[in-house]
Amino acid sequence: MTSIAVVGPGAIGGTIAAWLAQNPALSVTVCARTAFEHLVVETPSGPITAHPRVLTDPATAQPVDWVMVATKTYDIDSTAPWLNRLVGANTRVAIIQNGVEHVRLFAHLVPPEQLVPVMINLPAARLAPGRIVQQRHGIIAVPSGVNGDALVALFAKTEIAASADADFLSQAWVKLVSNSAAIVPALTLRSTGPVWTDALAAIVRGIVEECAAVGRAEGAVVPDSVIEATIESARTMDEGSRGSSLQMDRMAGNRMEIDARNGVIVRLGDKHGIPTPMNRMLVTLLAASGSPWVSRG
Ligand SMILES: NC(=O)c1ccc[n+]([C@@H]2O[C@H](COP(=O)([O-])OP(=O)(O)OC[C@H]3O[C@@H](n4cnc5c(N)ncnc54)[C@H](OP(=O)(O)O)[C@@H]3O)[C@@H](O)[C@H]2O)c1
């Protein structure tokens, strides 16, 4: 029996935990901040339920074979008490988050050789603790190698298509490029399609091209088609779109993954001497705007 602990059973962690728990060869525990009884996930193939062990106190956790961290990036440091209890010498720790710095962001918490960065493309939303809607079939990519191959094997009996890729760097940057334009509706709080103009198109193109240029300087292969598809997706974004998680977090009064998603473009751009004026301006403005719904009293 392989033991797995999922830290952060929100939209992504809850979906992952529910799918893995369908396999009787896996023992799944979830490490939650907010308690719930069981998981119900509406998947594209119908509802699935799971009854993993739900822990809310790190003191009750014990070392496992695999930890999967699926918190937002701004909650990384708060996972330390869980990781201190769950990670033993042979534990592998999968980081299932957006961005391109999975290993760097956890290097102070887990030995880097035990970390497995994960790119996930799986749109999901949490309705309530333990209640999730998985909107489309999902894919996962990890670096090829012993750890990556072992993680792919865990997903064999799920409907999440997991694969190991020798060029994980490109997978992560292509996802970041695809996500980069979402900072615009997070700032304006409205879909870009209905207000599309040549001036807005130039801003979106600037954001996306800067991201691709920095990714390429980091060694990633980012096809021009990804840039054009991202701009087209912004151009056709419907009025009623749910919005990105940046926007959802801002509207909910939460912190936002600004640094992991667009701040990183600015930081790594500086490292390579690549100007990133569009990202720099929008990151600065979004950080300065914060969440207007949060009481500042
Ligand atoms: N949702 C998507 O469609 C999607 C798609 C691709 C990638 N991603 C990425 O996946 C990552 C997770 O996103 P998400 O949408 O799943 O976020 P989410 O729904 O906000 O879930 C995060 C979960 O982490 C929990 N958490 C935070 N700190 C914790 C701690 N110290 N101990 C235990 N649990 C903790 C939260 O607890 P509470 O219940 O108390 O809030 C919440 O349940 C992000 O990097 C995101 O960008 C998301």
Side-chain angles (χ1 to χ4, degrees):
M1 181 78 82
T2 301
S3 54
I4 302 172
V6 178
V7 179
I12 291 295
T15 303
I16 295 278
W19 275 116
L20 293 172
Q22 307 303 304
N23 182 345
L26 305 178
S27 158
V28 179
T29 299
V30 297
C31 301
R33 199 166 52 180
T34 309
F36 57 87
E37 288 292 312
H38 58 277
L39 285 165
V40 181
V41 183
E42 301 291 336
T43 81
S45 306
I48 59 172
T49 58
H51 295 79
R53 210 155 61 101
V54 179
L55 306 182
T56 53
D57 178 1
T60 59
Q62 295 190 332
V64 289
D65 297 318
W66 278 93
V67 178
M68 299 193 183
V69 181
T71 65
K72 291 276 176 52
T73 53
Y74 49 74
D75 279 325
I76 287 173
D77 284 342
S78 75
T79 65
W82 288 113
L83 295 171
N84 288 342
R85 299 285 302 190
L86 292 165
V87 179
N90 298 316
T91 304
R92 284 169 284 193
V93 182
I95 307 302
I96 311 178
Q97 293 180 328
N98 270 327
V100 292
E101 297 183 298
H102 307 69
V103 173
R104 186 185 75 78
L105 293 174
F106 279 85
H108 63 301
L109 298 173
V110 178
E113 64 277 11
Q114 289 174 253
L115 287 168
V116 185
V118 179
M119 188 289 291
I120 185 159
N121 215 333
L122 184 156
R126 186 171 53 151
L127 307 178
R131 297 294 307 272
I132 296 152
V133 178
Q134 180 189 345
Q135 285 134 349
R136 289 201 301 277
H137 284 290
I139 61 166
I140 274 177
V142 292
S144 51
V146 177
N147 289 345
D149 293 347
L151 186 129
V152 168
L154 295 177
F155 284 88
K157 291 191 179 352
T158 73
E159 291 189 12
I160 298 172
S163 62
D165 192 327
D167 187 12
F168 175 79
L169 183 77
S170 296
Q171 293 269 4
W173 274 96
V174 163
K175 175 85 196 284
L176 194 74
V177 171
S178 306
N179 277 343
S180 60
I183 193 169
V184 174
L187 192 56
T188 61
L189 296 179
R190 60 172 307 175
S191 303
T192 39
V195 291
W196 197 251
T197 60
D198 287 351
L200 188 58
I203 291 172
V204 170
R205 178 170 289 281
I207 293 165
V208 179
E209 286 186 343
E210 287 171 12
C211 184
V214 175
R216 286 166 178 161
E218 284 283 296
V221 176
V222 181
D224 285 344
S225 59
V226 174
I227 297 173
E228 298 309 324
T230 304
I231 296 167
E232 183 60 9
S233 169
R235 188 185 72 77
T236 56
M237 186 184 184
D238 290 341
E239 188 65 88
S241 299
R242 180 174 74 94
S244 71
S245 63
L246 271 183
Q247 182 178 340
M248 305 292 283
D249 270 344
R250 184 168 176 230
M251 294 178 73
N254 297 334
R255 293 171 63 198
M256 294 175 273
E257 292 183 307
I258 305 174
D259 188 65
R261 293 180 48 148
N262 294 82
V264 64
I265 300 167
V266 177
R267 280 188 285 107
L268 294 179
D270 286 348
K271 178 181 123 188
H272 292 288
I274 296 173
T276 57
M278 289 297 179
N279 280 281
R280 190 183 300 278
M281 182 167 65
L282 270 76
V283 162
T284 305
L285 288 174
L286 187 56
S289 69
S291 298
W293 293 270
V294 176
S295 162
R296 303 204 190 283

